[in-house]
Amino acid sequence: MVGIVSYGTYIPKFRIKVEEIARIWGENAETIKNGLGILQKSVPDFDEDTATIAVEAGREAVRRARIDPKEIGAVYVGSESHPYAVKPTATIVGEALGVGNEYFAADLEFACKAGTAGIQICMGLVKAGMIKYGLAIGADTSQSRPGDALEYSAAAGGAAVVIGNDGVIAEIEGTYSFTSDTPDFWRREGQPYPSHGGRFTGIPAYFRHITSAAKGLMEELGLKPSDFSYAVFHQPNGKFPVRVAKMLGFSTEQIKQGLVVSHIGNTYSGSSLLGLCAVLDEAKPGDRILLVSFGSGAGSDAFSLIVTDEIDDFERTPKVWDKVMSGEFIDYGLYVKLRRKIKFG
Amino acid sequence: MLPRFWRKIKYRYNLVGTYCENCGTYYYPPRNLCPKCRRKSRIKEVQLSGKGKVISYSVVHDAPENFKMMKPYVVALIQLDEGPVITSQLVCKPEEVKIGMRVKAVFRKYGEEGESGIIYYGTKFVPDEKIG
Ligand SMILES: [Zn+2]
């Protein structure tokens, strides 16, 4: 039985409110909050990046798993903001977690779904008997052009999951991906900020891929929305996941627990995984969870998970929602400095 | 700089110290010999908990080039729960730090050699706040 053995999360402590960003750019904060379904977002400290976030989330996951880190046979870090263009983040994580030197490792990139792609790779390796445990991480410190609409949502955070078939807290009963060549969002080499296709990011990108992956998975497993206790969809803002849930026939009640975007923004590769971890914080044995990520470019990975009895003995504090709701507010000036948006000379 | 940093990565990323099984003393940085037990030393490498308390600190206002963006910042003398005392940056506002406050180790960036150089990572400390 392959599944999630443990999970850990990390959200930087700083927050900036929509009001504060709107104040600088002369926009109406209420309109933006209503339009995006976002009140505030997380901001990394000056000495935090995707590697430090991945390490902190990974450490929590390994500690809660109560396993010897040397039993981890694979480390995959998914992100669109790896600190280096060439030089893996996964080796920094492997070293900091004390995984040793005998492990498979690579950095993954697929916009916001690189973390769930890592889960699928680890599942395959575990099922093939090539590794005992695999660590899949989705982490980002996403950048946004000053004044761009993305500035209200582009945030930082990450989640790590240990995949294995021993001590599983949530069995993965199936996974299904839907992929197509769709240029809805991109960043060329050497460019500091990403570009996006505006409204094009909606219907042909996010909604088409998520609904196709979710329907494909449910069809394959013979399941319907009412079979699930919870559903988590990628959260680029607070509106898209609510609308896609409705399109697929899921209720607000099913998605509420995993919807963390309103208070931390879009954590990109961390987004759907942080939502899943928030659900696992509350889930009971027997609960079935649907997880569907989305990565621009474009693709969606869907998973159906069944929570096992092992979850009752699993350490689940501090909870994701406690991390989401804590934090310290900063102003736009400090935000610009922390995000290195000022260029000297 | 690069080879010197690379050799110490293990000790910067994690608080790996040593423990003398003869007298029960922990050391950080690690030692090959226990100064109390000398030839009777029985040294083994251990991972320290990373929890401790502030025993002294200073606020740095005149920062070296690499740390300019972080000033003013706190450098603290921290006593780990196992006993050893270490000097480290404590990531918090100068007005937050107090003698005796509980702190915990975190993984952060130390600095980078310009925009094209290597990025250095290692252990720093933050206030050990209970969340939730
Ligand atoms: Zn001794």
Side-chain angles (χ1 to χ4, degrees):
Chain A
M1 173 173 79
V2 64
I4 294 174
V5 172
S6 178
Y7 62 93
T9 58
Y10 185 80
I11 302 163
K13 79 166 181 183
F14 293 127
R15 303 280 183 275
I16 187 165
K17 286 183 173 164
V18 162
E19 280 88 348
E20 179 61 13
I21 301 173
R23 180 177 71 86
I24 301 301
W25 299 109
E27 298 194 76
N28 186 313
E30 288 310 310
T31 313
I32 289 157
K33 283 195 278 186
N34 290 333
L36 288 178
I38 289 175
L39 306 172
Q40 60 194 49
K41 67 168 188 173
S42 64
V43 180
D45 205 340
F46 197 72
D47 57 359
E48 291 183 300
D49 64 13
T50 292
T52 67
I53 290 171
V55 167
E56 290 293 329
R59 278 181 175 164
E60 188 174 81
V62 171
R63 189 171 64 241
R64 288 170 168 187
R66 290 180 282 187
I67 59 171
D68 178 355
K70 299 224 161 39
E71 290 186 306
I72 294 171
V75 176
Y76 294 101
V77 182
S79 180
E80 58 139 67
S81 54
H82 289 291
Y84 290 94
V86 178
K87 157 87 187 76
T89 308
T91 57
I92 300 170
V93 173
E95 181 69 40
L97 266 56
V99 170
N101 298 110
E102 294 170 41
Y103 63 101
F104 301 114
D107 283 4
L108 303 177
E109 271 184 42
F110 196 145
C112 304
K113 85 161 188 77
T116 54
I119 293 179
Q120 292 175 328
I121 295 172
C122 288
M123 276 178 74
L125 291 170
V126 168
K127 276 191 153 179
M130 289 171 71
I131 57 170
K132 184 163 189 202
Y133 300 111
L135 181 67
I137 301 177
D140 259 308
T141 54
S142 46
Q143 279 286 15
S144 51
R145 196 180 302 278
D148 189 277
L150 275 182
E151 203 174 22
Y152 293 102
S153 60
V161 292
V162 176
I163 303 294
N165 53 22
D166 186 31
V168 168
I169 56 168
E171 180 193 354
I172 302 173
E173 62 170 340
T175 183
Y176 180 103
S177 291
F178 185 86
T179 313
S180 82
D181 189 14
T182 307
D184 57 320
F185 179 98
W186 62 92
R187 180 168 65 81
R188 293 277 301 274
E189 190 70 48
Q191 293 295 310
Y193 304 116
S195 306
H196 53 86
R199 297 185 73 84
F200 187 64
T201 55
I203 302 295
Y206 181 90
F207 293 101
R208 175 172 176 235
H209 291 81
I210 289 197
T211 54
S212 302
K215 282 179 186 162
L217 179 70
M218 286 192 283
E219 204 176 288
E220 208 172 83
L221 297 174
L223 296 169
K224 51 189 186 306
S226 59
D227 293 323
F228 294 89
S229 311
Y230 300 97
V232 179
F233 303 102
H234 173 55
Q235 314 166 18
N237 54 56
K239 296 289 178 176
F240 279 20
V242 174
R243 206 193 307 166
V244 85
K246 209 169 182 182
M247 285 164 72
L248 284 162
F250 287 88
S251 69
T252 318
E253 211 47 47
Q254 283 165 299
I255 62 166
K256 211 172 60 184
Q257 176 63 21
L259 212 52
V260 293
V261 65
S262 54
H263 289 78
I264 53 167
N266 180 7
T267 53
Y268 287 56
S269 301
S271 167
S272 57
L273 289 179
L274 278 168
L276 172 69
C277 295
V279 164
L280 289 171
D281 277 348
E282 295 300 322
K284 292 179 184 62
D287 282 345
R288 186 180 264 124
I289 305 164
L290 176 70
L291 166 70
V292 192
S293 64
F294 170 73
S296 292
S300 276
D301 302 329
F303 300 81
S304 179
L305 302 111
I306 301 172
V307 178
T308 73
D309 293 338
E310 299 271 347
I311 200 129
D312 287 332
D313 298 320
F314 185 77
E315 165 81 55
R316 291 191 273 182
T317 49
K319 293 187 182 295
V320 175
W321 270 105
D322 293 331
K323 297 181 187 180
V324 167
M325 299 307 284
S326 64
E328 184 183 322
F329 290 104
I330 59 169
D331 63 20
Y332 195 84
L334 184 55
Y335 165 73
V336 162
K337 180 179 163 187
L338 291 177
R339 297 307 286 130
R340 298 160 198 250
K341 292 183 191 229
I342 312 169
K343 289 283 168 215
F344 300 97
Chain B
M1 182 70 188
L2 189 53
R4 198 155 55 91
F5 193 89
W6 179 72
R7 276 195 299 271
K8 286 189 179 158
I9 270 183
K10 182 177 170 187
Y11 303 101
R12 296 209 180 180
Y13 282 15
N14 284 292
L15 292 171
V16 176
T18 49
Y19 175 69
C20 174
E21 287 177 314
N22 192 49
C23 67
T25 310
Y26 287 89
Y27 296 99
Y28 186 90
R31 282 171 175 257
N32 294 321
L33 197 74
C34 173
K36 292 188 210 164
C37 305
R38 303 274 174 174
R39 274 188 310 170
K40 282 191 204 151
S41 302
R42 278 191 292 139
I43 293 290
K44 72 168 191 183
E45 209 170 73
V46 288
Q47 166 85 50
L48 301 166
S49 69
K51 304 255 183 178
K53 63 171 195 248
V54 174
I55 52 175
S56 174
Y57 67 91
S58 60
V59 179
V60 180
H61 293 279
D62 197 7
E65 192 58 36
N66 233 332
F67 290 85
K68 258 188 177 156
M69 294 288 275
M70 297 199 75
K71 73 177 188 195
Y73 60 91
V74 180
V75 172
L77 218 52
I78 291 158
Q79 177 152 43
L80 300 172
D81 289 348
E82 291 90 347
V85 174
I86 76 171
T87 307
S88 167
Q89 186 185 338
L90 176 61
V91 187
C92 70
K93 289 201 194 96
E95 58 268 30
E96 281 175 70
V97 58
K98 283 183 193 72
I99 304 283
M101 90 190 263
R102 297 289 303 166
V103 293
K104 64 175 179 189
V106 290
F107 190 76
R108 295 283 178 117
K109 266 166 79 165
Y110 278 4
E112 54 193 81
E113 292 184 339
E115 287 202 352
S116 59
I118 208 88
I119 305 168
Y120 297 107
Y121 296 94
T123 303
K124 292 185 185 178
F125 284 77
V126 294
D128 191 6
E129 293 154 340
K130 287 276 166 283
I131 293 177

